């Protein structure tokens, strides 16, 4: 149930972002920095937050899969009312709003309990975000994927995004993907595409098709898929878990 | 084969695939039966996809003599010390237990195409409605004068992975100081075009650390080879002065090898070697010949859209054994072809929807630590052949980060394809 909601919200968010970028550049487009530097900077955060393998809630909630998480949504963690309300209002963590939050938490959620003066330097914040991104949800391991994808990725005709794919056709076509991408979602050198939100999948594939993204194998594969075929694959992979 | 015969066959093949109603009932009026010979890249994949996608509607039997399949892919990395032998070993347990495939560990020794049965070495015959042959390669008799299968302990081929690869690795590692490693490279077409040259890279990697004065000589009947620019650039940069590639137009043809005295005779010259890796000319695995589906060159011609034999529409042939057109003989190709065949077979036997064929291939090779390169292409089925539509290759002069990423990607591919084969 939860997953569906998150997905829907994210898909909606993306759709909105798409429309916006089609008209004008977003107000704030955060570039991810250097994860190694971020790891150093994260020491400050460690006073309250854990991230990584087996991380659990401490003074603050754990930060695994923070990208794409609805604000205030980890069950069993006692959030401030402000954060819970922000989540209910549709706040889903992405690079842009995390950047604002890190700059000064009270900028974004007035009554947050996060007692942190803020990180004034945009470069520092971009490093921390890069570090956190590595622990985020499927398909976190696709670096260009939403919610941190750059605007160029998103200049996709909304009509293409609206195509309803046939998951059965997608299942047949998926054979080609599964020679490299594991159905189980395991990533041993090739990113997971299992359970990937449909909109993200479509955006990414079209970015390869249009040769905006560099990977030669993916350009080749995407290059000969029709819009319907991409939609079918997206429908199929979203349904896997 | 005459043109008219070919078009009749093609017509029949297309008909079988396009008809929606189930055409064939099982030999015993039970479920339709598919027998797969060979549990490698092609055979394991087609068996798994048929069992998985038909959801019990098709009875799948897989005939494979060995209980452990050592992938040829990454066997060069084992030679180079980048993988253990265990890490390239796979069993058929899941195909039997999770997918309900009847795995028979035996050799197929004959095919009765009229009765539609496969004879087993251990006795008995297995009936089929559709037969899939994916037996890989065998060596052409007498291709390298002086060498036959009895000589493989002295001069290993290591072109079917397992004990042969172990033997070659042991020989390389115990080579005398400053010794000579000779590779007798195969003529086209053969399994894994970059395979011999990746192997040379891996042997050089071992020798550079253990035996830096040793030499590697490649006697090659071809005047060019796969990823040549990339390999030669890598050899020069990483193993300067160690590797000599000598093509026959320069040296004259290979006259013979002498396993007893460890000599290789090329042109007028006798080379004394410490290790000799003989990779002979190849042909389809023998069972394809026994089934009567091979051509005069020893490969099995197929209809691209379905991978059906051009000689028998009830038989599909996959992977290295085929003569299909532009695809290289690789594990990736065999896996790709298997999915096209599975879709066509399922359509013919159960009336399931048949989608158009799509093929692709990518071959990664490792030159040295964290120095990976790749080549790949996409293909489509035309009536005549599997035809290349587009492709790419790594570039010379790429930076180290990209090469490392390419290598890491190959590790991911290995996990992916073996999961796709064995579940
Ligand atoms: C050194 C080397 C490196 C390679 N590297 C790569 C790589 O990096 N990437 C890549 O894609 N490919 C690579 N390949 C190629 C790849 O291994 C083959 O192309 C692939 O295995 C072909 O699949 P196949 O199904 O045709 O045959 P195989 O995988 O060889 O399977 C054939 C199976 O059939 C069985 N069999 C044979 N005859 C019978 C019979 N009569 N009855 C029953 N069973 C039988 C055999 O035991 C075997 O298990 C490499 C090959 C070599 C030698």
């Amino acid at each position: 149930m939860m997953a569906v909601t998150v997905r829907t919200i994210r898909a909606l968010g993306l759709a909105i972002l798409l429309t916006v970028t089609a008209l004008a550049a977003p107000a704030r487009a955060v570039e991810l920095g250097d994860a190694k530097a971020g790891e150093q900077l994260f020491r400050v955060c460690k006073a309250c937050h854990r991230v990584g393998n087996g991380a659990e809630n401490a003074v603050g909630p754990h930060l695994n899969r923070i990208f794409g998480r609805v604000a205030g949504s980890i069950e069993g963690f006692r959030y401030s009312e402000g954060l819970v309300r922000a989540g209910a209002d549709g706040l889903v963590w992405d690079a842009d709003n995390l950047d604002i939050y890190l700059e000064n938490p009270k900028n974004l959620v007035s009554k947050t309990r996060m007692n942190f003066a803020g990180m004034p330097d945009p470069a520092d914040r971009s490093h921390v975000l890069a570090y956190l991104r590595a622990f985020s949800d499927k398909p976190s391991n696709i670096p260009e994927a939403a919610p941190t994808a750059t605007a160029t990725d998103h200049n996709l005709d909304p009509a293409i995004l609206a195509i309803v794919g046939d998951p059965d056709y997608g299942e047949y076509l998926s054979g080609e993907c599964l020679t490299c991408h594991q159905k189980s979602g395991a990533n041993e050198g090739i990113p997971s595409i299992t359970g990937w939100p449909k909109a993200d999948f479509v955006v990414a594939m079209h970015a390869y098709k249009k040769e905006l993204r560099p990977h030669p194998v993916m350009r080749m594969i995407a290059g000969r898929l029709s819009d319907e075929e991409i939609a079918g694959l997206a429908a199929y992979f979203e349904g896997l878990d | 084969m005459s043109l008219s015969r070919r078009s009749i066959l093609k017509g029949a093949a297309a008909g079988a695939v396009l008809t929606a109603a189930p055409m064939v009932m099982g030999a015993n009026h039970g479920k339709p039966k598919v027998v797969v010979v060979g549990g490698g890249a092609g055979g394991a994949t087609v068996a798994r996809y048929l069992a998985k996608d038909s959801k019990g509607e098709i009875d799948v039997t897989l005939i494979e003599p060995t209980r452990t399949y050592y992938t040829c892919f990454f066997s060069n990395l084992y030679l180079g010390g980048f993988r253990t032998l265990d890490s390239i070993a796979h069993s058929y347990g899941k195909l039997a237990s999770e997918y309900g495939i009847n795995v028979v560990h035996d050799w197929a020794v004959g095919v009765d195409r009229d009765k539609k049965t496969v004879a087993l070495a251990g006795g008995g015959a297995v009936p089929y409605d559709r037969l899939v042959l994916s037996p890989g390669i065998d060596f052409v008799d007498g291709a390298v004068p002086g060498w036959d299968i009895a000589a493989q302990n002295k001069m290993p081929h290591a072109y079917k992975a397992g004990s042969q690869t172990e033997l070659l690795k042991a020989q390389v590692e115990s080579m005398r100081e400053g010794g000579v490693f000779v590779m007798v490279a195969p003529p086209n077409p053969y399994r894994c075009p970059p395979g011999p040259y990746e192997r040379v890279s891996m042997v050089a990697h071992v020798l550079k650390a253990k035996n830096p004065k040793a030499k590697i000589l490649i006697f090659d009947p071809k005047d060019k080879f796969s990823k040549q620019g990339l390999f030669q650039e890598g050899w020069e940069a990483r193993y300067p002065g160690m590797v000599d590639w000598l093509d026959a137009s320069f040296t004259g043809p290979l006259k013979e090898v002498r396993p007893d005295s460890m000599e290789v005779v090329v042109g007028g010259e006798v080379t004394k070697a410490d290790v000799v890796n003989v990779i002979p000319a190849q042909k389809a695995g023998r069972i394809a010949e026994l089934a009567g589906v091979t051509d005069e060159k020893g490969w099995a011609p197929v209809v691209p859209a379905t991978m059906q034999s051009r000689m028998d529409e009830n038989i599909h042939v996959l992977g290295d054994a085929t003569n299909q057109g532009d695809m290289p003989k690789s594990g990736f190709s065999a896996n790709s072809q298997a999915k096209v065949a599975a879709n066509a077979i399922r359509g013919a036997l159960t009336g399931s929807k048949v989608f158009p064929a799509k093929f692709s291939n990518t071959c990664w090779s490792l030159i040295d630590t964290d120095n990976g390169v790749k080549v790949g292409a996409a293909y489509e089925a035309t009536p005549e052949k599997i035809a290349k539509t587009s492709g790419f290759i790594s570039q010379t002069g790429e930076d180290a980060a990209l090469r490392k990423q390419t290598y890491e990607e190959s590790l991911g591919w290995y996990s992916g394809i073996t999961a796709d084969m064995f579940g």
Side-chain angles (χ1 to χ4, degrees), chain B residues 185-245:
Chain B
N188 287 323
Y190 61 95
R191 146 178 293 186
C192 194
Y197 311 97
E198 180 186 57
R199 172 169 297 169
V200 161
S201 308
M202 293 295 94
V203 170
H205 174 81
V206 170
L207 294 177
K208 185 181 174 183
K210 291 199 167 183
N211 192 349
K213 293 208 183 94
K215 285 261 176 282
I216 299 175
L217 302 178
I218 310 165
F219 292 115
D220 206 326
K222 307 181 289 298
D223 59 7
K224 57 177 193 284
F225 60 87
S226 172
K227 302 181 189 161
Q228 182 167 354
L230 296 165
F231 280 117
Q232 290 185 325
E233 176 196 51
W235 295 340
E236 232 162 81
R238 307 284 188 124
Y239 318 113
M242 185 179 271
V243 183
D244 257 331
W245 175 69

Side-chain angles (χ1 to χ4, degrees), chain B residues 38 40-42 64-65 69 72-73 76 108 134-136 191-192 320 330-332 413:
Chain B
E64 163 61 52
Y69 176 82
C72 277
F73 27 110
N76 285 331
S134 192
R191 146 178 293 186
C192 194
D320 290 357
S330 74
F332 199 124
W413 164 76

Side-chain angles (χ1 to χ4, degrees), chain A residues 194-235:
Chain A
T194 293
W196 202 2
K198 207 156 42 185
D200 295 14
F201 192 107
V202 172
V203 163
M205 289 300 277
H206 282 276
Y208 286 119
K209 194 174 162 77
K210 288 191 278 183
E211 308 206 334
L212 297 171
R213 295 191 185 196
H215 199 273
V217 180
M218 287 312 304
R219 282 181 175 189
M220 178 180 89
I221 300 291
R224 62 173 178 167
L225 290 171
S226 68
D227 296 351
E228 282 71 25
E229 288 173 330
I230 289 175
L233 281 165

Side-chain angles (χ1 to χ4, degrees), chain A residues 22 28 55 66-67 69 73 78 85 93 96 111 114 116 124 126 133 138-139 156 174 186 220-221 229 240:
Chain A
R28 190 159 178 151
I66 180 74
F67 282 84
R69 186 200 288 171
S73 67
R78 247 185 67 219
R85 191 172 323 115
W93 292 121
D96 280 346
K111 290 195 177 149
M114 176 151 146
F116 179 55
D124 284 355
S126 78
R133 179 72 177 122
K138 286 180 195 168
L156 191 60
S174 76
M220 178 180 89
I221 300 291
E229 288 173 330
L240 291 181

Side-chain angles (χ1 to χ4, degrees), chain B residues 76-115:
Chain B
N76 285 331
L77 274 64
Y78 159 69
L79 281 177
F82 293 92
R83 297 289 284 216
T84 62
L85 195 60
D86 276 355
S87 79
I88 60 167
H90 303 271
S91 84
Y92 296 92
K94 268 198 192 165
L95 291 185
S97 65
E98 281 181 26
Y99 296 90
I101 294 165
N102 178 22
V103 180
V104 177
H105 288 301
D106 204 344
W107 288 94
V109 290
V111 176
D112 185 329
R113 280 163 48 183
D114 295 325
K115 288 207 189 107

